[in-house]
Amino acid sequence: MSNFFTLNSVRALSRVCLAAGSLAILTACGGWGGSKADSLVKVEEKFGSAATYSRLFDATPAQTCEAARRALLSQGYIVNKTDKESVEGQKSFQPQSDRHVLMNIRVTCVPESGDGQLSMGFVSALQDSFALKMASNSASLGVSMLGTVSVPVAAGHDSMIKIGSETVNSDQFYDSFFDLMRRYLLVDAPQELAGSRKR
């Protein structure tokens, strides 16, 4: 009888230990999940009425986008896309021997009045950063005692690895671009006025 009681006690104790162990594992897993969530990078976007990326122009959307196209071309940008409502330009920079920066500027022009004589120009610039990486080649050498040995060779090929991408948020950057756009709109104004007088 004492042996039976001892066996039941051992079984009960093992069940308690098993339950406690399972609870500890579940708690630990929950803790690990929480730490991973806390380690994620959080980006806080604040939407407001600041006019960093937009300006009002006394011109039609087509005229505004044409001014944006000329502004980009005057600064050495390659214009990849242009129409009456949008313009996209691209320019490469190399601030360091092993660093490369690609600037992409997109301009969108929308009407702001019923007659279409006022327009809003929206501009956003995306800056992609690349780093130079040397990929070395390996050559196999036959050694009688060791067999085939793979040895890295210094000669290789260079490749650009993308290391970052960020939207430019500098007020000064956009102010200077919008000022240049207005300058090209002012250049066009006398020509359009002269054309209307001839008619």
Side-chain angles (χ1 to χ4, degrees):
M1 190 67 160
S2 61
N3 290 338
F4 177 77
F5 179 76
T6 303
L7 183 60
N8 283 343
S9 300
V10 170
R11 287 178 178 173
L13 183 60
S14 64
R15 288 194 191 108
V16 171
C17 291
L18 181 61
S22 301
L23 182 61
I25 292 173
L26 290 174
T27 304
C29 290
W32 291 337
S35 63
K36 284 185 180 179
D38 294 339
S39 65
L40 293 177
V41 177
K42 296 179 181 178
V43 178
E44 295 184 2
E45 178 67 283
K46 296 181 180 178
F47 292 95
S49 58
T52 301
Y53 306 97
S54 63
R55 291 291 187 281
L56 186 65
F57 292 90
D58 188 11
T60 65
Q63 291 170 334
T64 301
C65 272
E66 174 60 18
R69 185 183 74 88
R70 296 184 185 188
L72 289 172
L73 289 173
S74 71
Q75 301 303 306
Y77 280 81
I78 299 174
V79 176
N80 301 321
K81 174 188 175 184
T82 178
D83 55 41
K84 294 181 178 180
E85 297 180 350
S86 64
V87 178
E88 292 182 12
Q90 188 178 83
K91 186 177 179 180
S92 297
F93 301 87
Q94 191 169 356
Q96 300 174 7
S97 59
D98 60 343
R99 289 289 185 272
H100 178 75
V101 176
L102 188 64
M103 184 76 75
N104 293 280
I105 297 181
R106 178 180 175 83
V107 184
T108 304
C109 310
V110 297
E112 275 293 303
S113 62
D115 59 359
Q117 295 304 309
L118 285 177
S119 62
M120 185 72 76
F122 296 92
V123 180
S124 62
L126 182 65
Q127 182 174 288
D128 295 328
S129 301
F130 300 84
L132 185 65
K133 184 179 180 181
M134 174 73 76
S136 60
N137 297 327
S138 59
S140 298
L141 301 177
V143 182
S144 58
M145 295 286 292
L146 302 175
T148 303
V149 179
S150 182
V151 180
V153 180
H157 63 278
D158 299 340
S159 59
M160 301 299 296
I161 307 298
K162 188 174 181 178
I163 59 174
S165 183
E166 184 179 7
T167 299
V168 178
N169 57 9
S170 168
D171 291 336
Q172 184 178 1
F173 175 88
Y174 292 103
D175 286 342
S176 62
F177 183 74
F178 286 124
D179 289 343
L180 190 57
M181 284 179 61
R182 292 187 192 281
R183 190 180 306 171
Y184 280 103
L185 279 175
L186 291 175
V187 168
D188 288 343
Q191 296 176 358
E192 293 179 0
L193 184 60
S196 63
R197 285 178 180 175
K198 289 179 181 180
R199 294 175 187 174

